[in-house]
Amino acid sequence: MNSVGEACTELKREYDQCFNRWFAEKFLKGESAGDPCGQLFKRYQRCVQKAIKEKDIPIEGLEFMGPSKGKTENSS
């Protein structure tokens, strides 16, 4: 599947390959430490954010996963 921005498709492919390799070769074997694909994901994320702005895609009302998502204000 291509990315939202044509310029981001190659970054998406690289990230997908990295994640799938890590998932199959490490995570499923119990090795969950580290984030070997984090920098690739950040580059891809920035590219997608830029493409969304350039294409003027409305994103109001959409929730994105992030470090603080999934936690309620009252959770401890």
Side-chain angles (χ1 to χ4, degrees):
M1 173 183 266
N2 289 340
S3 181
V4 66
E6 187 176 324
C8 305
T9 298
E10 182 61 23
L11 285 171
K12 180 185 183 306
R13 186 189 63 76
E14 289 177 32
Y15 171 72
D16 286 348
Q17 285 180 341
C18 182
F19 177 83
N20 290 334
R21 185 172 43 251
W22 168 80
F23 189 78
E25 296 174 6
K26 302 288 184 180
F27 184 79
L28 290 178
K29 295 177 181 175
E31 300 174 39
S32 60
D35 187 6
C37 308
Q39 291 302 315
L40 276 172
F41 179 75
K42 288 177 184 179
R43 287 176 46 215
Y44 174 57
Q45 184 180 41
R46 285 191 300 266
C47 187
V48 167
Q49 289 169 344
K50 182 180 175 188
I52 287 171
K53 284 184 179 182
E54 288 174 353
K55 292 182 178 207
D56 200 25
I57 298 172
I59 58 172
E60 293 79 25
L62 295 178
E63 291 188 31
F64 291 92
M65 295 301 292
S68 64
K69 297 296 179 192
K71 298 178 184 175
T72 63
E73 290 181 22
N74 295 330
S75 66
S76 20

